[in-house]
């Protein structure tokens, strides 16, 4: 069995490496990034998305957003031009649920099964193979590829039909963005009041306000370390997908809309490539203080 892996960026590259380490035969391709390191490890290199599809029994895509997935799968020189019936395509990118459903429907006409399987955990967990993977699609198809997904993640959960994986990811991204904003607002207040933010963190992290987000992001904020991690521009992409999806469904998400404007302001100020913990900079600017050790 050959697994085609398309999209070898921050996340896709270490995920592909983990599959090679687990003993799978891979065929790899990225439209813009080089992949000599992966061919050196034994993967076959491809010349296009179409070429990868012709060589593969299972295809994994890990691309930035909906237009990239649509181009790579449905576009010119795309996967759909040469994919064999019976192949399974697993898209692990974080994209709009409606785009997942569109790609899944087009592939179904070719006799190809599709799962949307976005991830949470970022680069460190992609490297460790401990991502949280949330999957949408048919249960029988899910069971077939689950052993492959388990080489990249420590939690692999089927949440519903095609598109459900990305709905779950949008929920995850809303909660993370709002949590960072709440932590930022609170720590700016404490700092402006003259209370040591490190002491505030130590005092509240074990209580009800504590969170994985607080534990990961407050130490970065206290160090003034905004190196990504997860870039503000990617979070804008996810919240835009959340807002579009919510508005189409008739489910207003006012807190998300508010944090989206905060992220837009940060992007305008030149912080788009910062880690999303830089949300604190927005509140620091309003109050005229910095939350640092
Ligand atoms: P990235 O930009 O580093 O990698 C994407 C890769 O896709 C690039 O190498 C690019 O050259 C390639 N690509 C773009 N269009 C292509 C095409 N048409 N055909 C072939 N290759 C193409 O992005 P990333 O950080 O690896 O993120 C990938 C996805 O995972 C995104 O949807 C992101 O939101 C999600 N994600 C990222 C993180 C993170 O911390 N970086 C965490 C969880 C989820």
């Amino acid at each position: 069995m050959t697994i085609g892996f398309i999209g070898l960026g921050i996340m896709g590259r270490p995920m592909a490496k983990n599959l090679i380490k687990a003993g799978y035969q891979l065929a790899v391709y990225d439209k813009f990034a080089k992949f000599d390191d992966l061919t050196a490890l034994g993967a076959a290199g491809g010349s296009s998305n179409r070429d990868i599809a012709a060589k593969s029994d299972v295809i994994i895509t890990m691309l930035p957003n909906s237009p990239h997935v649509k181009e790579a799968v449905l576009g010119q020189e795309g996967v759909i031009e040469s994919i064999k019936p019976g192949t399974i395509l697993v898209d692990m990118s974080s994209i709009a649920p409606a785009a997942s459903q569109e790609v899944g429907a087009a592939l179904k006409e070719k006799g190809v099964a599709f799962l949307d399987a976005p991830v949470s955990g970022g680069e460190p967990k992609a490297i460790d193979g401990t991502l949280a993977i949330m999957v949408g699609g048919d249960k029988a198809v899910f069971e077939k590829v689950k052993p492959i997904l388990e080489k990249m993640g420590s939690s692999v959960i089927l949440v519903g039909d095609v598109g459900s994986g990305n709905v779950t990811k949008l929920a995850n991204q809303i909660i993370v963005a709002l949590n960072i904003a709440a932590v930022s607002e609170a720590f700016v207040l404490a700092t402006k009041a003259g209370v040591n933010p490190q002491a505030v963190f130590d005092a509240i992290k074990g209580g009800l306000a504590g969170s994985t987000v607080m534990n990961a992001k407050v130490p970065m904020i206290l160090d003034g370390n905004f190196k990504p991690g997860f870039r503000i521009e990617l979070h804008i992409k996810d919240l835009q997908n959340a807002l579009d999806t919510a508005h189409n469904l008739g489910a207003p998400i006012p807190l998300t809309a508010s944090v989206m404007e905060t992220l837009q302001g940060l992007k305008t100020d030149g912080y788009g490539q910062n880690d999303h913990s830089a949300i604190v900079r927005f509140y620091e600017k309003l109050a005229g203080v910095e939350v640092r050790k």
Side-chain angles (χ1 to χ4, degrees), residues 158-235:
L158 182 69
V159 288
D161 296 336
V162 169
S164 310
N166 272 304
V167 170
T168 307
K169 176 68 183 177
L170 291 181
N172 183 83
Q173 294 306 83
I174 289 172
I175 293 165
V176 170
L178 268 54
N179 202 337
I180 299 175
V183 165
S184 298
E185 195 166 291
F187 275 74
V188 165
L189 165 69
T191 306
K192 186 93 186 196
V195 183
N196 179 336
Q198 177 71 58
V200 174
F201 179 46
D202 294 339
I204 69 175
K205 66 183 176 193
L208 191 55
S211 63
T212 309
V213 164
M214 187 186 284
N215 289 341
K217 300 302 173 184
V218 170
M220 291 179 75
I221 292 169
L222 291 174
D223 287 340
N225 166 21
F226 300 112
K227 185 174 167 288
F230 192 74
R231 294 192 308 274
I232 282 183
E233 280 190 350
L234 272 183
H235 219 140

Side-chain angles (χ1 to χ4, degrees), residues 9-11 30-32 49 62-64 71 94 122 230 237:
I10 292 178
M11 298 295 285
D30 189 293
K31 194 171 173 184
F32 305 106
N49 293 315
M62 192 52 166
L63 301 164
E71 187 204 312
S94 304
F230 192 74
K237 179 262 297 184

Side-chain angles (χ1 to χ4, degrees), residues 25-93:
Q25 178 58 48
L26 257 64
V28 296
Y29 178 69
D30 189 293
K31 194 171 173 184
F32 305 106
K34 289 190 174 163
F35 40 82
D36 324 11
D37 54 337
L38 292 167
T39 50
L41 292 173
S47 55
S48 66
N49 293 315
R50 181 185 203 282
D51 179 39
I52 290 293
K55 290 178 169 142
S56 307
D57 307 293
V58 170
I59 299 171
I60 295 173
T61 46
M62 192 52 166
L63 301 164
N65 198 7
S66 315
H68 309 86
V69 174
K70 283 199 213 171
E71 187 204 312
V73 179
L74 308 180
Q76 226 184 345
E77 285 293 294
V79 163
I80 203 157
E81 290 183 2
S82 69
I83 198 164
K84 297 168 280 193
T87 308
I88 299 173
L89 193 147
V90 185
D91 178 39
M92 302 190 75
S93 328

